[in-house]
Each structure stands twice: as structure tokens, then as C-alpha cells.
Amino acid sequence: MTDQMVSRRTFVGAGAALAAAGALAGCNNDAQAPAGSAGSAPAASTDGDAVELQVFAANSLEKAMPEVQALYTEQTGTTFADTQFRGSGDLVEQMTAGAQVDVLITASAGTMDDAEEGELVDPDTRVDMFVNDLVIVAATDSDIQINSLEDVAAVEGQIAIGEPGAVPAGKYANQSLASVGLYSDESGENGTYDASIADRVNAAQSVGNAAQYVSTGECSIGFVYTSDVYRYDGLKVVYTVPAEAHSAIVYPGAVASTSENPDVAQDFITFCMENSDALAIWSQYGFELSE
């Protein structure tokens, strides 16, 4: 990984302090402590049955989330159905179509806004969980050097960018390209690419796909999150996109309106943000706690 990659802020200590600070707001009437607190009891449904949560999570969480879920299961006994890791827009579409979900975590405020407007989540439970950085990656053996966004036009080969309608990372990438005249719409959607790159953009259905296109050599560079470098072998960061070039990259989480165990779903979201061991996992994969 190059020294151009932005350094990750360590938030494990802060998370541990949060975990010790107090009880979880919104727990059920049994007043159980959050799963990350000392002496906590296992989270359970109101009727005492074992709980299985269905989580819909942004594709970039695919590596870290299972480890956090395993930790939660170990501490509480709550298990998880087959977690769906897809582009945030796709997740919202599935929920609109009637998918049964307990927790939704997206990779943009806009997609969570869509879920909230569609009454798919409980707005009172919505919280910004994590932030991330947008980076340009190349294969580890590549000699590509990028010192500015304008340099993207001079790169030979294909450029992996997520489909902006379904992949927030693609929207952020397009916003960044628009800031230097390589994309026509500052919003990052519904625009066109400059002629210098238009025939070389390879649209990906998830940010993970964009990373894979680069790691397998199908594309020379790709726009992904910092966390994706930890998910796939054979990648290195060649440029960290300035934060001011795109909308803030934030991961909101919320309890789904269809959840049959909303208290446990809320407890899991809090566990993700407050349990010190969980925070260590998120940090390991490049995620930072939202301030």
C-alpha cells in the first residue's frame, strides 16, 4: 500500500469508552444492557424465542461484517440468516419488493433516504455508523502513478467504476471526475463521461466487482473504498481522492420496518458501534466510526 493512502484513524479506544458509557436507548422493557457491555444478557425476542436476524448490508462490508456477527453470536446467542451484501440501491429495491429484513446498512445517505421515504426503515433508529475514503487502486505489480484526478484520463486500459444508480462508490467516483471535467453531472448520476475515458469505463454492479476487475487485470485502475483494499489480494492504492471532490462517504444503519425483533436489531447496531472488539474488526478493514 502506498504512502498516498490516507491514514486510518483509530477509533477503538473511543468505541470502548462509548460501550462503558451507558445502557442502550430503545432496548426492550427487560432493560437488558447492550451486548457489548460487561455482564450483559443475551439479546432475545419479546416472546423468549431464539432470534435470527436478517441483515442487508452494503457490499463493501462483506469482509468485516461476518466477523462482527460471529462475535455478536458468541456473546448473545443471536444468529444471522444469509446476510445480503449488494449495492445499496439493489438492497433498497429488494426491500421495496417485499424482502423480510431486520437491519439495513447502506453506503450512502441517499440510499438510506430512499429507504426512509419508502417507509422501509424506522427513521427513529437511523444512525450514521461509519465513514470511508474513496481511493483509486491498481494491481500491486502495476507501475501506474496518479497524482491528480486529471491523470485518470492518461491511464491506459479500462477503468472500473460502480454503476452509480446502484453503487454509491460509483456515484462518488463520478462526482470526483466531474470536479475535473471528466464527467458531465456534478451529482454523479445521469451524466456522460468525457471522450478521453468514455469508451474505457467498465461499469460494475458492486464496489467489490470494481475491485475484482482490477485485481484480475480486467481493468487497469478502479474507484473503490479504502476498505476494499483489505478485501481483495493484489491491489494497491495509487491515489486517495480528496474528500472535497465528492459527497461525504457515510454508512447509515437503521432497523427495518419489517423486523419482527426490532429491539434485538437495534441492539446489534449499537453493538457494532460500541463494542470494543467489534470496533477493532471494523478498524482492521479500514472503517472509521462516524463522528
Side-chain angles (χ1 to χ4, degrees):
M1 198 170 301
T2 71
D3 58 6
Q4 290 173 301
M5 182 174 178
V6 68
S7 60
R8 290 183 284 131
R9 296 188 292 274
T10 302
F11 55 79
V12 173
L18 282 171
L24 168 65
C27 280
N28 60 29
N29 293 331
D30 293 335
Q32 84 179 27
S37 301
S40 61
S45 63
T46 55
D47 59 8
D49 293 335
V51 174
E52 180 183 70
L53 294 179
Q54 176 67 71
V55 175
F56 272 29
N59 179 257
S60 49
L61 297 167
E62 186 175 17
K63 192 74 171 181
M65 178 63 78
E67 294 187 22
V68 175
Q69 289 174 325
L71 187 65
Y72 189 73
T73 297
E74 179 183 344
Q75 295 193 18
T76 69
T78 297
T79 59
F80 295 87
D82 184 19
T83 299
Q84 298 299 298
F85 297 104
R86 299 179 183 271
S88 299
D90 288 341
L91 295 176
V92 174
E93 286 185 5
Q94 288 185 55
M95 292 178 69
T96 301
Q100 177 69 36
V101 183
D102 293 294
V103 174
L104 173 66
I105 305 174
T106 69
S108 75
T111 46
M112 187 60 78
D113 288 344
D114 292 340
E116 189 172 329
E117 290 170 6
E119 299 183 347
L120 303 174
V121 296
D122 178 355
D124 292 336
T125 66
R126 178 174 175 171
V127 61
D128 289 341
M129 298 178 68
F130 309 110
V131 295
N132 214 328
D133 297 306
L134 185 70
V135 297
I136 299 176
V137 294
T140 50
D141 59 354
S142 171
D143 59 2
I144 290 174
Q145 295 185 4
I146 295 179
N147 298 308
S148 69
L149 284 165
E150 290 90 342
D151 290 346
V152 170
V155 173
E156 296 182 0
Q158 296 288 300
I159 305 166
I161 298 177
E163 170 57 48
V167 184
K171 184 175 180 178
Y172 299 136
N174 288 346
Q175 291 173 351
S176 302
L177 292 172
S179 73
V180 294
L182 294 177
Y183 190 75
S184 65
D185 189 336
E186 293 182 354
S187 74
E189 291 187 89
N190 305 315
T192 57
Y193 294 102
D194 182 77
S196 62
I197 64 172
D199 62 349
R200 297 188 292 117
V201 173
N202 193 328
Q205 294 305 305
S206 70
V207 68
N209 287 151
Q212 288 178 316
Y213 291 163
V214 178
S215 67
T216 60
E218 184 173 345
C219 292
S220 298
I221 60 172
F223 284 81
V224 301
Y225 299 124
T226 299
S227 56
D228 294 306
V229 181
Y230 299 87
R231 298 169 62 201
Y232 299 98
D233 295 330
L235 295 178
K236 66 178 180 181
V237 174
V238 294
Y239 185 71
T240 298
V241 179
E244 61 270 19
H246 55 76
S247 300
I249 300 174
V250 62
Y251 287 68
V255 176
S257 301
T258 57
S259 178
E260 296 179 356
N261 294 286
D263 293 336
V264 183
Q266 177 68 80
D267 186 68
F268 176 65
I269 291 174
T270 302
F271 176 89
C272 287
M273 300 178 65
E274 296 185 359
N275 178 272
S276 59
D277 292 331
L279 290 173
I281 293 171
W282 297 122
S283 181
Q284 176 186 349
Y285 289 105
F287 292 98
E288 303 164 3
L289 194 66
S290 181
E291 297 178 355

